[in-house]
Amino acid sequence: MTELELKISQLDPERIPVHVAMIMDGNGRWAKSHGYIRSDGHAEGVSTVHRVTKLSSDLGIKYLTLYAFSTENWNRPKDEVDTLMYLIGWAIERELPELLANNVRIVLLGDIERIPEDARQRLFYARNATAHCTGLQLNMCLSYSSRWEITEAVRKIAYLAAEGKLDPKDITENTISDNLTTAGIPDPDLLIRTGGEYRISNYLLWQIAYSELYFTPALWPEFSDEEYVEALLDFQKRERRFGMTSDQVKHTN
Ligand code: FPP
């Protein structure tokens, strides 16, 4: 039995998280430490995206949400932005046959209209081609930030109120959730951040209210399948109380 198989065998199949979100950090530092340019780190990071998607699908995770490009990432040097956009379009096209074979559905979250035409068309093609898939849903956050998303939701809700379609008295937490790009997607159970930083970087701020957080120093290109399963094992050891007491949680389970 390999180390990976051994770790997988330790997982409780009844308590696999439904939704895992990831902040893929550390591509630039990985590249620098190997004497490469930053964009080479992103290219290497695509292999980790491939592995993590396959393993999530094999383990029966229903939603995997990846922070592929943030609103703030538009401020990076033009060369790096161009390469990332090219890579994302190229990777999605290359991966499409395997995504289909694994019944993976692509969903795009973010201000997709800002993505350059060429990459956007490839992304739309993959999204449409996988729309019927019923296995893992791979949410790709592109030109995404949580504050952008919440601002958009507030605008939509304000318009509904101004048009008399919504009484402000009837606004609930569900009204907010239903107007986010993640409407209909359960909140993440687990958020993993690679790259050794302890921050959330404007990612899914509303949705991670009760998510378990896992931080690892591993740089994204080095984030192994073994460590992913380690994060899932760590998640399974935790007691999720959602603001209740430990006794209450034991009685509701
Ligand atoms: C953060 O590393 C990573 C990104 C900004 C981009 C993530 C993109 C990929 C892994 C490739 C394409 C993705 C898909 C979904 C096909 P960083 O550059 O901030 O690293 P650093 O902190 O070491 O500088």
Side-chain angles (χ1 to χ4, degrees):
M1 204 185 249
T2 64
E3 188 197 340
L4 178 62
E5 286 164 344
L6 181 65
K7 282 189 194 290
I8 291 176
S9 73
Q10 291 162 357
L11 282 169
D12 175 353
E14 302 293 315
R15 295 182 57 227
I16 296 289
V18 173
H19 184 174
V20 178
M22 295 194 185
I23 300 177
M24 313 184 283
D25 196 18
N27 292 342
R29 277 166 287 160
W30 180 88
K32 199 169 175 204
S33 72
H34 287 77
Y36 304 143
I37 57 164
R38 293 180 55 80
S39 295
D40 292 337
H42 298 313
E44 190 67 22
V46 174
S47 319
T48 309
V49 172
H50 177 99
R51 279 194 288 100
V52 157
T53 303
K54 179 74 170 68
L55 188 52
S56 302
S57 164
D58 290 349
L59 293 175
I61 288 165
K62 284 301 297 174
Y63 302 89
L64 175 66
T65 303
L66 301 179
Y67 206 2
F69 193 86
S70 74
T71 308
E72 291 74 23
N73 287 155
W74 289 116
N75 299 322
R76 291 195 175 194
K78 184 173 181 312
D79 270 7
E80 185 175 340
V81 171
D82 289 349
T83 308
L84 259 171
M85 290 299 143
Y86 171 80
L87 259 181
I88 289 167
W90 166 82
I92 202 78
E93 190 171 275
R94 190 193 59 173
E95 298 294 325
L96 187 56
E98 192 169 337
L99 292 169
L100 283 165
N102 286 302
N103 199 19
V104 177
R105 179 168 176 232
I106 297 285
V107 168
L108 309 172
L109 305 179
D111 193 1
I112 307 300
E113 293 308 312
R114 281 188 77 178
I115 304 290
E117 173 77 15
D118 184 68
R120 189 167 10 112
Q121 290 314 324
R122 288 167 206 259
L123 288 162
F124 283 165
Y125 186 83
R127 179 186 63 185
N128 298 341
T130 60
H132 65 282
C133 294
T134 53
L136 173 74
Q137 177 169 319
L138 176 59
N139 301 314
M140 288 181 52
C141 295
L142 289 158
S143 191
Y144 172 91
S145 83
S146 204
R147 289 184 177 184
W148 164 81
E149 174 185 49
I150 292 170
T151 307
E152 289 299 308
V154 169
R155 197 192 322 279
K156 280 189 245 166
I157 294 167
Y159 272 122
L160 290 174
E163 289 162 5
K165 292 179 183 156
L166 176 68
D167 186 334
K169 284 204 293 296
D170 296 333
I171 293 175
T172 63
E173 290 191 5
N174 283 340
T175 319
I176 315 279
S177 298
D178 292 347
N179 282 284
L180 297 174
T181 58
T182 51
I185 301 172
D187 289 340
D189 301 293
L190 173 64
L191 169 67
I192 297 174
R193 180 177 186 137
T194 63
E197 313 281 3
Y198 296 90
R199 53 177 174 258
I200 302 299
S201 301
N202 211 353
Y203 190 45
L204 302 171
L205 297 177
W206 175 274
Q207 296 88 338
I208 60 165
Y210 285 102
S211 304
E212 297 295 327
L213 308 179
Y214 183 92
F215 297 96
T216 165
L219 304 173
W220 179 253
E222 290 169 341
F223 182 61
S224 64
D225 289 356
E226 288 78 6
E227 177 144 26
Y228 185 11
V229 179
E230 197 57 56
L232 297 173
L233 286 167
D234 191 75
F235 167 82
Q236 292 193 337
K237 283 195 225 119
R238 303 190 195 180
E239 179 188 61
R240 303 186 71 197
R241 292 199 292 277
F242 301 96
M244 293 187 285
T245 67
S246 191
D247 278 352
Q248 284 176 305
V249 174
K250 284 186 183 109
H251 284 101
T252 49
N253 279 335

